[in-house]
Amino acid sequence: MKGQTLLSEALNQLAENIWILPRDKHPNKVQPNVGIICTSTQTVLVDCGNSPYHAQRLLAALKHLNAPPISQIIYTHHHWDHIFGASTFGVPVIAHELCQQLLTQHIQQRGGLAALKTQIQQNEPGTHHEVWDHFQIILPDITFSHQLTLPLDGLTLELEHVGGVHAADSIVVRVKESHVMFIGDCYYPPPGYLQSSNKKTSWSMLSSFLDEKAIDVYVDGHSDPLKKSDLLKRWGIKFLASL
C-alpha cells in the first residue's frame, strides 16, 4: 500500500486452532468478525473482510501469528461486508449455490464494478481508496445446495444452508472438534438498506443452534463470540423463541 504501514491487529483465540479477527465495535463501521481456522498445513477463512484494506490487515495479523498459507475462503452469505476482501487472497471460495446467483445479480443490477466501488468509497470515507484499484467481486468456485463436509487435517468442517430473512443464502460452519460454530448473520433481521417491514431477530433459529451438544461457542457477524451458557443467561433465548 502506498505510504501505509499495516500494524498487526490482535486476534482473539477461541479454541486451540480457531481465532477471529474481531469486529469493529464503532457503531458507524460495518466490519464483521472474520473466522480463522488453522491446521499444521493450511488456514481457512470464514468470510474475508469488507474491503481489500480490511483483508490486508488480516494478512498482517496472520503473518504475526505465523499461520500457514490460506487455502480457501468460506462465505457465510453474499453481503459485501463479509466478502469484499476476497480478491486480496487469490484462493478458492466456497458458498451456497444461491450466493453465486445473488452476487451475479448484484453486479448486473448496480451498474458493474465501477458503480460498486463508488458506492463503497462513499459509504467508507476513511478507507484507503488506492486498495480498490485491482478490486474484483469473487464468485464462489465451489457451491453446494444443503450440506457440505470438508475434511481438514484432522478437523471436519460442516457447512449447512440455513437461509433466513437476512440473506437467503446464509450458511453456518460447524467445527465440532473445537466446539465452535460460525453463524454469520443468519438470524438477523433484513439489512436496513432493504427497507423491510420485518425488523425481528429470528430467536427461534438461534435457539435451534443452542440444542447442539457438540457446540459451546457461537460466532456471529457483528457481536462478540458468546458461549452457550452466556447466550442462555443473557438473552433467555428459549423463552424469546416461544413468544
Side-chain angles (χ1 to χ4, degrees):
M1 290 182 57
K2 299 176 183 178
Q4 296 293 328
T5 300
L6 288 172
L7 299 177
S8 177
E9 298 185 52
L11 301 177
N12 291 353
Q13 187 168 12
L14 306 182
E16 180 180 358
N17 41 25
I18 297 182
W19 291 259
I20 60 167
L21 180 66
R23 67 189 177 101
D24 193 317
K25 296 184 179 182
H26 192 285
N28 293 330
K29 293 287 186 179
V30 187
Q31 179 183 296
N33 295 312
V34 177
I36 301 162
I37 304 168
C38 293
T39 72
S40 59
T41 65
Q42 60 186 305
T43 297
V44 173
L45 301 180
V46 181
D47 293 329
C48 53
N50 67 2
S51 65
Y53 181 61
H54 191 190
Q56 289 174 7
R57 287 159 49 205
L58 173 59
L59 281 174
L62 290 174
K63 182 178 180 181
H64 185 76
L65 185 65
N66 293 319
I70 298 168
S71 61
Q72 51 200 332
I73 295 167
I74 300 170
Y75 290 167
T76 60
H77 60 295
H78 70 285
H79 290 166
W80 68 273
D81 52 316
H82 294 258
I83 68 150
F84 274 14
S87 59
T88 300
F89 301 104
V91 299
V93 172
I94 303 171
H96 188 259
E97 59 190 11
L98 276 175
C99 181
Q100 191 168 52
Q101 299 173 29
L102 291 166
L103 284 176
T104 300
Q105 292 171 8
H106 186 73
I107 294 170
Q108 294 172 345
Q109 292 172 358
R110 293 180 179 264
L113 288 177
L116 279 171
K117 284 163 47 173
T118 299
Q119 180 186 20
I120 294 161
Q121 290 171 2
Q122 289 173 346
N123 292 335
E124 295 283 325
T127 198
H128 301 275
H129 291 180
E130 67 270 15
V131 302
W132 294 100
D133 290 346
H134 304 289
F135 168 73
Q136 292 181 316
I137 292 178
I138 304 301
L139 297 176
D141 301 279
I142 301 169
T143 62
F144 65 99
S145 58
H146 181 55
Q147 293 179 325
L148 180 66
T149 300
L150 298 176
L152 193 72
D153 297 337
L155 293 178
T156 302
L157 308 190
E158 297 181 3
L159 284 59
E160 181 182 5
H161 176 238
V162 295
V165 297
H166 185 80
D169 59 323
S170 286
I171 68 167
V172 298
V173 181
R174 298 177 180 88
V175 191
K176 289 184 176 179
E177 295 92 342
S178 302
H179 311 291
V180 175
M181 183 173 178
F182 295 93
I183 59 178
D185 298 351
C186 65
Y187 70 96
Y188 290 6
Y193 64 82
L194 292 181
Q195 299 180 341
S196 171
S197 60
N198 183 356
K199 307 295 185 183
K200 291 185 177 181
T201 297
S202 181
W203 298 113
S204 59
M205 179 183 288
L206 187 54
S207 176
S208 69
F209 300 151
L210 297 180
D211 290 332
E212 301 194 28
K213 295 181 180 179
I215 304 300
D216 188 50
V217 177
Y218 300 85
V219 184
D220 70 13
H222 302 274
S223 304
D224 294 337
L226 282 174
K227 290 189 174 182
K228 181 181 297 184
S229 57
D230 294 331
L231 280 168
L232 291 170
K233 180 179 179 180
R234 184 176 299 185
W235 292 338
I237 300 298
K238 288 189 179 296
F239 171 76
L240 290 169
S242 67
L243 297 179

